[in-house]
Amino acid sequence: GQPAYLVAQEDISDFVHASTQLVASIEALEIVLALDLNPALIVRIRDGNILRINNAAEQLFGPIERLPRHAASLFVEVGAFDRLLAKLQTRLNTVSQAEFLTTEGIGFRAAVRSARLTYYESDAIILSIADITELHRVNAVLEAELNSERAMNEVRSRLLAIAAHDLRTPLAIIDSSAQFLARRANAIEPTILAKRANQIRAAVRSLTKLFDQTIERARDRRGLTFARTKHDLVSMI
């Protein structure tokens, strides 16, 4: 019946050590976010809510208070965020590309590096976003130029094939007339000689014209063009 204290002792060294490590890791993460020049977001996996953004992300998307709660709203393409989460189910980190919208509603393409982590006892992911819009545009221009060059090479190859085929007719005329003149050299009539000579000259002119057209087209690197003009479609039909 006397007032007393019950004192119990429990070793919490492991718990204190784990808590200290957790605080240290979160502090290190905060430092990394502050120093990272690329926009970065921390998103909770359970509900997709944005938990933290760094200064670069705030400049790009606006302050976290004005952001939509769900990170999927930042993606232009519907389902892009869900696909990213699905990839992280089987790996700790991943790299992908996605389209985003800025606070001004301007879309841009970005390379997204994502990794899973624990943020204040919540399963979360960190998204690091690098704008690759200009790189994507340059690649598209280079690919278009490469396709155009391939098309031009194909056109030139076809022109040369057609020219090689069309060369045979005037060459055959020249050869036939030359053989005729060789066989009848001593007894050929002036009218026949003039006729055969005219045939040879006409074939040579045809060859010259064909050569000029082929060389001119083969040198043309601009590709096929079109003249855009307005027409009354109803009257044309």
Side-chain angles (χ1 to χ4, degrees), residues 180 188-198:
F180 177 83
I188 190 171
E189 299 179 4
T191 55
I192 300 298
L193 178 61
K195 178 182 178 181
R196 292 292 181 173
N198 289 332

Side-chain angles (χ1 to χ4, degrees), residues 184-212:
R184 305 283 297 273
N186 296 328
I188 190 171
E189 299 179 4
T191 55
I192 300 298
L193 178 61
K195 178 182 178 181
R196 292 292 181 173
N198 289 332
Q199 288 178 342
I200 291 175
R201 295 193 63 190
V204 170
R205 286 194 299 269
S206 177
L207 279 176
T208 303
K209 181 179 179 181
L210 183 60
F211 275 128
D212 291 340

